[in-house]
Amino acid sequence: MGILEKIAEIEKEIARTQKNKATEYHLGLLKAKLAKYRAQLLEPSKSAAGKGEGFDVMKSGDARVALIGFPSVGKSTFLSLMTSTASEAASYEFTTLTCIPGVIEYKGANIQLLDLPGIIEGAAQGKGRGRQVIAVARTSDVVIMMLDATKGEVQRALLEKELETVGIRLNKNKPNIYFKPKKGGGISFNSTVTLTQCSEKLVQLILHEYKIFNAEVLFREDCSADEFIDVIVGNRVYMPCLYVYNKIDQISMEEVDRLARRPHSVVISCGMKLNLDYLLETLWEYLALTCIYTKKRGQRPDFSDAIILRKGASVQHVCHRIHRTLADQFKYALVWGTSTKYSPQRVGLSHLVEHEDVIQVVKK
């Protein structure tokens, strides 16, 4: 029996098992086995090395956004509208056969946008170049899931399942579980909260399935068996995702309103160029980028060239971006902007900067 057949068998078994107290250990073991087989499926076989081609696109700009969706939902049209790159668009499926990069210039930042070929059901198993598409998505900062507003719910559920299968967790935080394998001493289990979805016995069963007999486990939040398996496997990617419903000109106003009110969702029409500016604003929030401007002594700030950093960056990060030796020669910095109590404020390396702050670095 091949891996795909084993996965199908376990999925059937999980589907027909009732969820209650008596079956939670059985279900936990099945989920652990399923995660193991899926991991084996994603490992490239040695015989397949060197065959075919990937979508190796060099990471450039300040952030990377991947466009994922079924064929003919408007990904290529969207890329052509938002960037200066022309991606072929036609009324037949699979117009795009490889990865086409473009750059969105917004608020002084260069955001790399990747138009990926359409995903089909079974992509995680390698159908329709699905694995290469998903591998590129794993390296992105944000995923834009492009959906056809006329059949959005079905497409969304299928795409989420495909990405979940390969270890991409959308709009979720990493489970707050401390896990460390040891050389000996058995399994020590603790929790700082009351656990309702997982128990010590279930944790031990899952660890034994992974041939782990000595480990330290501490639950800092009430997590499920699935989340604990994610922590053991350790190669999961947690990333923000924007669900973009295209072709809203083909559905009723009530339906548009319903889709727009869903969490993490934006409604647009590429054909009629509707709501694209709001999508850009939302994308900027999800990327969590900050623009910092620099100023030389006795001169006006340079607003033409911003330093783009992640939210939560400090003055030290700004120094590293200007020059790698600047932090060593740093004496103090003067900062104008919302991160200060008064302008200009004299600050040290650990001061956290905010969007559109102006900074002047003084060296020793």
Side-chain angles (χ1 to χ4, degrees), residues 5-47:
E5 287 81 20
K6 285 178 183 172
I7 288 174
E9 278 294 308
I10 293 172
E11 282 176 340
K12 277 182 200 162
E13 176 74 13
I14 290 172
R16 64 170 174 255
T17 305
Q18 281 188 324
K19 289 180 178 69
N20 55 43
K21 269 278 183 226
T23 60
E24 68 174 350
Y25 300 125
H26 178 58
L27 279 170
L29 269 178
L30 287 173
K31 284 173 179 174
K33 280 181 179 165
L34 188 61
K36 258 173 78 177
Y37 287 135
R38 280 179 176 165
Q40 285 174 26
L41 191 67
L42 291 172
E43 282 168 13
S45 60
K46 290 181 172 61
S47 60

Short mmCIF file of all heavy atoms in Angstrom, two decimals, residues 5-47:
data_model
loop_
_atom_site.label_atom_id
_atom_site.label_comp_id
_atom_site.label_asym_id
_atom_site.label_seq_id
_atom_site.Cartn_x
_atom_site.Cartn_y
_atom_site.Cartn_z
N GLU A 5 -2.45 5.92 -0.51
CA GLU A 5 -3.54 5.02 -0.08
C GLU A 5 -3.65 5.03 1.45
O GLU A 5 -4.76 5.04 1.99
CB GLU A 5 -3.31 3.58 -0.57
CG GLU A 5 -3.53 3.38 -2.07
CD GLU A 5 -2.35 3.81 -2.91
OE1 GLU A 5 -1.23 3.91 -2.37
OE2 GLU A 5 -2.55 4.08 -4.11
N LYS A 6 -2.48 5.02 2.13
CA LYS A 6 -2.49 5.02 3.60
C LYS A 6 -3.14 6.30 4.12
O LYS A 6 -3.92 6.28 5.07
CB LYS A 6 -1.05 4.92 4.13
CG LYS A 6 -0.45 3.52 4.01
CD LYS A 6 0.99 3.53 4.51
CE LYS A 6 1.63 2.16 4.33
NZ LYS A 6 3.08 2.19 4.64
N ILE A 7 -2.79 7.45 3.47
CA ILE A 7 -3.37 8.74 3.88
C ILE A 7 -4.89 8.71 3.69
O ILE A 7 -5.65 9.13 4.57
CB ILE A 7 -2.73 9.91 3.08
CG1 ILE A 7 -1.30 10.15 3.57
CG2 ILE A 7 -3.55 11.19 3.21
CD1 ILE A 7 -0.51 11.17 2.76
N ALA A 8 -5.34 8.19 2.54
CA ALA A 8 -6.78 8.11 2.24
C ALA A 8 -7.49 7.24 3.28
O ALA A 8 -8.59 7.58 3.75
CB ALA A 8 -6.99 7.55 0.84
N GLU A 9 -6.87 6.10 3.66
CA GLU A 9 -7.45 5.20 4.66
C GLU A 9 -7.62 5.91 6.00
O GLU A 9 -8.68 5.82 6.62
CB GLU A 9 -6.52 3.97 4.86
CG GLU A 9 -6.69 2.89 3.80
CD GLU A 9 -8.06 2.23 3.85
OE1 GLU A 9 -8.45 1.78 4.94
OE2 GLU A 9 -8.75 2.20 2.82
N ILE A 10 -6.55 6.62 6.43
CA ILE A 10 -6.61 7.31 7.74
C ILE A 10 -7.66 8.42 7.70
O ILE A 10 -8.41 8.61 8.66
CB ILE A 10 -5.22 7.86 8.12
CG1 ILE A 10 -4.24 6.70 8.38
CG2 ILE A 10 -5.30 8.73 9.38
CD1 ILE A 10 -2.80 7.11 8.58
N GLU A 11 -7.73 9.17 6.59
CA GLU A 11 -8.73 10.24 6.48
C GLU A 11 -10.15 9.69 6.57
O GLU A 11 -11.02 10.29 7.20
CB GLU A 11 -8.53 11.02 5.17
CG GLU A 11 -7.36 12.00 5.25
CD GLU A 11 -7.07 12.73 3.95
OE1 GLU A 11 -7.50 12.23 2.88
OE2 GLU A 11 -6.40 13.78 3.98
N LYS A 12 -10.37 8.52 5.92
CA LYS A 12 -11.69 7.87 6.00
C LYS A 12 -12.00 7.47 7.43
O LYS A 12 -13.12 7.65 7.93
CB LYS A 12 -11.72 6.62 5.10
CG LYS A 12 -12.03 6.92 3.64
CD LYS A 12 -12.08 5.64 2.85
CE LYS A 12 -11.90 5.88 1.36
NZ LYS A 12 -11.54 4.65 0.64
N GLU A 13 -11.00 6.89 8.11
CA GLU A 13 -11.16 6.43 9.49
C GLU A 13 -11.51 7.60 10.42
O GLU A 13 -12.39 7.50 11.25
CB GLU A 13 -9.86 5.75 9.94
CG GLU A 13 -9.83 5.29 11.38
CD GLU A 13 -10.67 4.05 11.66
OE1 GLU A 13 -11.10 3.38 10.70
OE2 GLU A 13 -10.90 3.78 12.83
N ILE A 14 -10.80 8.76 10.21
CA ILE A 14 -11.08 9.96 11.04
C ILE A 14 -12.50 10.45 10.78
O ILE A 14 -13.23 10.82 11.70
CB ILE A 14 -10.04 11.08 10.75
CG1 ILE A 14 -8.66 10.68 11.32
CG2 ILE A 14 -10.48 12.42 11.36
CD1 ILE A 14 -7.52 11.62 10.95
N ALA A 15 -12.91 10.44 9.49
CA ALA A 15 -14.24 10.94 9.11
C ALA A 15 -15.36 10.09 9.73
O ALA A 15 -16.40 10.62 10.12
CB ALA A 15 -14.38 10.95 7.59
N ARG A 16 -15.13 8.77 9.83
CA ARG A 16 -16.24 7.92 10.33
C ARG A 16 -16.19 7.70 11.86
O ARG A 16 -17.07 7.06 12.42
CB ARG A 16 -16.28 6.58 9.59
CG ARG A 16 -15.08 5.68 9.77
CD ARG A 16 -15.36 4.29 9.18
NE ARG A 16 -14.15 3.49 9.23
CZ ARG A 16 -13.40 3.21 8.19
NH1 ARG A 16 -13.72 3.67 7.00
NH2 ARG A 16 -12.31 2.47 8.31
N THR A 17 -15.13 8.23 12.51
CA THR A 17 -15.03 8.08 13.97
C THR A 17 -15.76 9.23 14.65
O THR A 17 -15.53 10.40 14.34
CB THR A 17 -13.55 8.08 14.42
OG1 THR A 17 -12.85 7.07 13.71
CG2 THR A 17 -13.43 7.81 15.90
N GLN A 18 -16.66 8.87 15.58
CA GLN A 18 -17.39 9.90 16.32
C GLN A 18 -16.43 10.60 17.29
O GLN A 18 -15.56 9.97 17.88
CB GLN A 18 -18.52 9.28 17.13
CG GLN A 18 -19.74 8.96 16.29
CD GLN A 18 -20.89 8.52 17.18
OE1 GLN A 18 -20.68 7.86 18.18
NE2 GLN A 18 -22.10 8.88 16.80
N LYS A 19 -16.60 11.93 17.43
CA LYS A 19 -15.73 12.67 18.34
C LYS A 19 -16.38 12.72 19.73
O LYS A 19 -17.41 13.35 19.93
CB LYS A 19 -15.53 14.10 17.81
CG LYS A 19 -14.65 14.16 16.57
CD LYS A 19 -14.46 15.57 16.08
CE LYS A 19 -13.53 15.63 14.88
NZ LYS A 19 -14.10 15.05 13.67
N ASN A 20 -15.78 12.02 20.67
CA ASN A 20 -16.21 12.09 22.06
C ASN A 20 -15.04 11.72 22.96
O ASN A 20 -13.95 11.43 22.50
CB ASN A 20 -17.43 11.18 22.32
CG ASN A 20 -17.17 9.75 21.90
OD1 ASN A 20 -16.09 9.20 22.16
ND2 ASN A 20 -18.14 9.14 21.22
N LYS A 21 -15.27 11.71 24.28
CA LYS A 21 -14.20 11.44 25.26
C LYS A 21 -13.55 10.08 25.01
O LYS A 21 -12.34 9.92 25.15
CB LYS A 21 -14.78 11.48 26.68
CG LYS A 21 -14.70 12.85 27.32
CD LYS A 21 -13.31 13.06 27.91
CE LYS A 21 -13.20 14.39 28.62
NZ LYS A 21 -12.01 15.13 28.29
N ALA A 22 -14.37 9.09 24.65
CA ALA A 22 -13.86 7.71 24.50
C ALA A 22 -12.94 7.55 23.29
O ALA A 22 -12.07 6.69 23.28
CB ALA A 22 -15.02 6.73 24.42
N THR A 23 -13.15 8.38 22.26
CA THR A 23 -12.39 8.19 21.01
C THR A 23 -11.24 9.20 20.86
O THR A 23 -10.55 9.19 19.85
CB THR A 23 -13.31 8.32 19.79
OG1 THR A 23 -13.90 9.63 19.79
CG2 THR A 23 -14.39 7.25 19.78
N GLU A 24 -11.04 10.11 21.85
CA GLU A 24 -10.04 11.18 21.64
C GLU A 24 -8.62 10.62 21.49
O GLU A 24 -7.83 11.14 20.71
CB GLU A 24 -10.11 12.22 22.75
CG GLU A 24 -9.69 11.75 24.12
CD GLU A 24 -9.65 12.89 25.14
OE1 GLU A 24 -9.77 14.05 24.75
OE2 GLU A 24 -9.48 12.58 26.34
N TYR A 25 -8.28 9.52 22.22
CA TYR A 25 -6.94 8.95 22.09
C TYR A 25 -6.75 8.30 20.72
O TYR A 25 -5.70 8.45 20.08
CB TYR A 25 -6.67 7.92 23.20
CG TYR A 25 -6.78 8.51 24.58
CD1 TYR A 25 -7.63 7.97 25.55
CD2 TYR A 25 -6.04 9.64 24.92
CE1 TYR A 25 -7.73 8.53 26.80
CE2 TYR A 25 -6.14 10.21 26.18
CZ TYR A 25 -6.99 9.65 27.12
OH TYR A 25 -7.09 10.22 28.35
N HIS A 26 -7.80 7.60 20.28
CA HIS A 26 -7.75 6.95 18.96
C HIS A 26 -7.57 8.00 17.86
O HIS A 26 -6.73 7.86 16.97
CB HIS A 26 -9.04 6.15 18.75
CG HIS A 26 -9.12 5.48 17.41
ND1 HIS A 26 -8.16 4.57 16.98
CD2 HIS A 26 -10.02 5.58 16.39
CE1 HIS A 26 -8.48 4.15 15.76
NE2 HIS A 26 -9.60 4.75 15.38
N LEU A 27 -8.35 9.10 17.95
CA LEU A 27 -8.26 10.18 16.95
C LEU A 27 -6.90 10.87 17.00
O LEU A 27 -6.32 11.19 15.96
CB LEU A 27 -9.37 11.22 17.19
CG LEU A 27 -10.76 10.86 16.66
CD1 LEU A 27 -11.79 11.85 17.17
CD2 LEU A 27 -10.78 10.86 15.13
N GLY A 28 -6.37 11.07 18.20
CA GLY A 28 -5.05 11.70 18.34
C GLY A 28 -3.96 10.89 17.66
O GLY A 28 -3.11 11.44 16.96
N LEU A 29 -4.02 9.56 17.84
CA LEU A 29 -3.04 8.67 17.20
C LEU A 29 -3.17 8.72 15.68
O LEU A 29 -2.17 8.75 14.95
CB LEU A 29 -3.25 7.23 17.68
CG LEU A 29 -2.45 6.81 18.90
CD1 LEU A 29 -2.79 5.39 19.29
CD2 LEU A 29 -0.95 6.90 18.63
N LEU A 30 -4.42 8.70 15.21
CA LEU A 30 -4.66 8.76 13.75
C LEU A 30 -4.10 10.05 13.17
O LEU A 30 -3.48 10.04 12.10
CB LEU A 30 -6.16 8.65 13.45
CG LEU A 30 -6.82 7.28 13.65
CD1 LEU A 30 -8.33 7.39 13.46
CD2 LEU A 30 -6.27 6.25 12.67
N LYS A 31 -4.31 11.16 13.88
CA LYS A 31 -3.82 12.47 13.39
C LYS A 31 -2.28 12.49 13.35
O LYS A 31 -1.69 13.06 12.45
CB LYS A 31 -4.34 13.59 14.28
CG LYS A 31 -5.82 13.91 14.01
CD LYS A 31 -6.37 14.89 15.00
CE LYS A 31 -7.83 15.21 14.71
NZ LYS A 31 -8.42 16.06 15.77
N ALA A 32 -1.66 11.87 14.37
CA ALA A 32 -0.20 11.80 14.39
C ALA A 32 0.33 10.99 13.22
O ALA A 32 1.30 11.37 12.55
CB ALA A 32 0.27 11.19 15.71
N LYS A 33 -0.33 9.85 12.93
CA LYS A 33 0.07 9.01 11.79
C LYS A 33 -0.11 9.77 10.48
O LYS A 33 0.74 9.72 9.59
CB LYS A 33 -0.77 7.73 11.76
CG LYS A 33 -0.29 6.68 12.74
CD LYS A 33 -1.14 5.44 12.66
CE LYS A 33 -0.63 4.39 13.65
NZ LYS A 33 -1.58 3.32 13.89
N LEU A 34 -1.23 10.49 10.38
CA LEU A 34 -1.54 11.26 9.16
C LEU A 34 -0.47 12.32 8.92
O LEU A 34 0.02 12.47 7.79
CB LEU A 34 -2.92 11.93 9.33
CG LEU A 34 -3.52 12.62 8.12
CD1 LEU A 34 -3.73 11.63 6.98
CD2 LEU A 34 -4.83 13.28 8.46
N ALA A 35 -0.07 13.04 9.98
CA ALA A 35 0.97 14.08 9.85
C ALA A 35 2.30 13.45 9.41
O ALA A 35 3.03 14.02 8.59
CB ALA A 35 1.15 14.81 11.18
N LYS A 36 2.60 12.25 9.93
CA LYS A 36 3.84 11.56 9.56
C LYS A 36 3.86 11.19 8.08
O LYS A 36 4.83 11.43 7.36
CB LYS A 36 3.98 10.27 10.39
CG LYS A 36 4.95 10.40 11.55
CD LYS A 36 4.94 9.18 12.43
CE LYS A 36 5.70 8.04 11.82
NZ LYS A 36 5.75 6.88 12.74
N TYR A 37 2.75 10.60 7.61
CA TYR A 37 2.67 10.20 6.19
C TYR A 37 2.72 11.41 5.26
O TYR A 37 3.33 11.37 4.20
CB TYR A 37 1.40 9.38 5.93
CG TYR A 37 1.46 7.98 6.49
CD1 TYR A 37 0.38 7.44 7.19
CD2 TYR A 37 2.60 7.18 6.34
CE1 TYR A 37 0.44 6.15 7.71
CE2 TYR A 37 2.66 5.90 6.85
CZ TYR A 37 1.57 5.39 7.54
OH TYR A 37 1.64 4.12 8.05
N ARG A 38 2.04 12.50 5.67
CA ARG A 38 2.06 13.71 4.83
C ARG A 38 3.47 14.28 4.74
O ARG A 38 3.88 14.78 3.70
CB ARG A 38 1.10 14.75 5.42
CG ARG A 38 -0.35 14.47 5.04
CD ARG A 38 -1.28 15.49 5.64
NE ARG A 38 -2.65 15.27 5.20
CZ ARG A 38 -3.71 15.82 5.78
NH1 ARG A 38 -3.55 16.60 6.83
NH2 ARG A 38 -4.92 15.60 5.32
N ALA A 39 4.21 14.23 5.85
CA ALA A 39 5.60 14.72 5.84
C ALA A 39 6.45 13.87 4.89
O ALA A 39 7.27 14.40 4.14
CB ALA A 39 6.17 14.67 7.25
N GLN A 40 6.22 12.54 4.90
CA GLN A 40 6.96 11.65 3.98
C GLN A 40 6.64 11.98 2.53
O GLN A 40 7.50 11.95 1.66
CB GLN A 40 6.60 10.19 4.26
CG GLN A 40 7.22 9.62 5.52
CD GLN A 40 6.70 8.23 5.82
OE1 GLN A 40 6.27 7.50 4.91
NE2 GLN A 40 6.72 7.86 7.09
N LEU A 41 5.37 12.30 2.30
CA LEU A 41 4.92 12.60 0.94
C LEU A 41 5.58 13.85 0.38
O LEU A 41 5.88 13.93 -0.80
CB LEU A 41 3.39 12.79 0.96
CG LEU A 41 2.67 12.87 -0.39
CD1 LEU A 41 2.72 11.53 -1.10
CD2 LEU A 41 1.23 13.28 -0.19
N LEU A 42 5.84 14.82 1.28
CA LEU A 42 6.42 16.09 0.84
C LEU A 42 7.93 16.05 0.66
O LEU A 42 8.51 16.91 0.03
CB LEU A 42 6.06 17.20 1.83
CG LEU A 42 4.59 17.60 1.86
CD1 LEU A 42 4.32 18.54 2.99
CD2 LEU A 42 4.17 18.21 0.54
N GLU A 43 8.57 15.01 1.25
CA GLU A 43 10.03 14.89 1.10
C GLU A 43 10.35 14.52 -0.34
O GLU A 43 9.82 13.53 -0.85
CB GLU A 43 10.57 13.82 2.04
CG GLU A 43 10.69 14.29 3.48
CD GLU A 43 10.96 13.14 4.43
OE1 GLU A 43 11.29 12.04 3.96
OE2 GLU A 43 10.81 13.35 5.64
N PRO A 44 11.20 15.28 -1.04
CA PRO A 44 11.52 14.93 -2.42
C PRO A 44 12.30 13.62 -2.48
O PRO A 44 13.24 13.42 -1.73
CB PRO A 44 12.38 16.11 -2.90
CG PRO A 44 12.89 16.75 -1.67
CD PRO A 44 11.93 16.46 -0.57
N SER A 45 11.87 12.73 -3.35
CA SER A 45 12.57 11.44 -3.47
C SER A 45 13.90 11.65 -4.19
O SER A 45 14.03 12.51 -5.05
CB SER A 45 11.72 10.45 -4.25
OG SER A 45 11.47 10.95 -5.53
N LYS A 46 14.90 10.85 -3.79
CA LYS A 46 16.26 11.02 -4.34
C LYS A 46 16.30 10.75 -5.84
O LYS A 46 17.05 11.34 -6.58
CB LYS A 46 17.23 10.09 -3.61
CG LYS A 46 17.45 10.56 -2.17
CD LYS A 46 18.40 9.67 -1.43
CE LYS A 46 18.76 10.25 -0.07
NZ LYS A 46 17.63 10.42 0.83
N SER A 47 15.42 9.85 -6.31
CA SER A 47 15.42 9.51 -7.74
C SER A 47 14.88 10.66 -8.59
O SER A 47 15.20 10.80 -9.75
CB SER A 47 14.57 8.26 -7.98
OG SER A 47 13.24 8.52 -7.54
#
